[in-house]
Amino acid sequence: MDGKFTRKARLVANGNETPVAPKYDRYSSVVSRESVRIGFLYAALNDLDILSCDISNAYLNAPCSEKLWTEAGPEFGGDAGSVMIFKKAVYGLQTAGSSWHETLAKTLSEMGFKPSRADQDVWLKESTDRQGNLYHEWIICYVDDLLAISCDPKAVMDQVAK
C-alpha cells in the first residue's frame, strides 16, 4: 500500500429517536422466495434473459415523508452547528423504506408495469419478443435489489435508472 486510502461515510439518522411512525409507514418491500423461483422458471421456459442490480443509495432517491432536522456536526467545517433539514429519505429513518417503495412503485407504474395480484413485489408488463410473440416482462423487487426478466433486461434496467 502506498499509504493513500479513501474513507467513505453515510449519513444515517437515529430512527429510534424520531417519533414512532404508524406501522403501515414502516414497510419495506420483500418479494417471496416462491415468486423468485417462479420468475426463474418463467425465464427458462420462455428463453428470456435475467439481469440483477442493486440500486445504490436507493433511499436517497425518495423524498423524506417526515419533517425532521438535525444539527450539523464538526465534519461540516464552518457550517458546524447549523440546522439541516432532511429533504430525502435517509437510512435509519423509520419511514425510509416505505418512501423508497412508493418512489419505485411510481417509477414502475410510469413505465407501464403493474404489480402482480399474487405478490405486490413482482411487476409485470406485456411486451413482444423479436419474433412478435407476446410475453410478460418481469421486475422483481427486494427492497433496493431488482431482477429484470425480459428479452432485453438491460434496456428495462436502463429505463428504471432514468
Side-chain angles (χ1 to χ4, degrees):
M1 253 174 68
D2 61 0
K4 296 179 184 177
F5 60 93
T6 304
R7 293 180 192 225
K8 288 185 172 183
R10 175 180 286 160
L11 179 63
V12 178
N14 287 336
N16 60 317
E17 294 180 6
T18 60
V20 177
K23 199 169 196 172
Y24 61 84
D25 270 349
R26 292 182 271 158
Y27 170 79
S28 187
S29 64
V30 179
V31 70
S32 72
R33 181 178 16 176
E34 290 79 12
S35 294
V36 175
R37 288 178 176 171
I38 292 169
F40 286 155
L41 176 65
Y42 181 79
L45 292 175
N46 293 286
D47 197 28
L48 300 173
D49 294 328
I50 301 172
L51 182 65
S52 68
C53 80
D54 174 69
I55 299 177
S56 301
N57 298 315
Y59 288 4
L60 297 178
N61 292 306
C64 183
S65 61
E66 302 166 281
K67 293 190 186 260
L68 297 171
W69 60 273
T70 188
E71 187 177 322
E75 59 274 2
F76 287 92
D79 291 329
S82 300
V83 173
M84 297 181 354
I85 298 173
F86 290 98
K87 291 187 176 183
K88 296 290 187 175
V90 178
Y91 288 88
L93 292 179
Q94 293 180 22
T95 59
S98 179
S99 295
W100 161 245
H101 184 263
E102 289 173 16
T103 301
L104 180 61
K106 181 179 178 218
T107 299
L108 295 176
S109 293
E110 289 170 354
M111 291 172 56
F113 283 88
K114 292 183 177 14
S116 164
R117 283 186 257 154
D119 189 335
Q120 65 181 6
D121 297 312
V122 175
W123 292 75
L124 306 169
K125 176 178 151 185
E126 200 170 271
S127 190
T128 54
D129 63 15
R130 292 176 186 93
Q131 289 79 30
N133 300 319
L134 285 176
Y135 77 101
H136 284 91
E137 292 179 319
W138 289 43
I139 293 184
I140 298 174
C141 308
Y142 188 95
V143 187
D144 63 348
D145 297 313
L146 304 179
L147 278 177
I149 300 172
S150 174
C151 287
D152 189 4
K154 183 168 179 359
V156 173
M157 290 295 193
D158 288 344
Q159 198 175 2
V160 171
K162 291 180 186 178

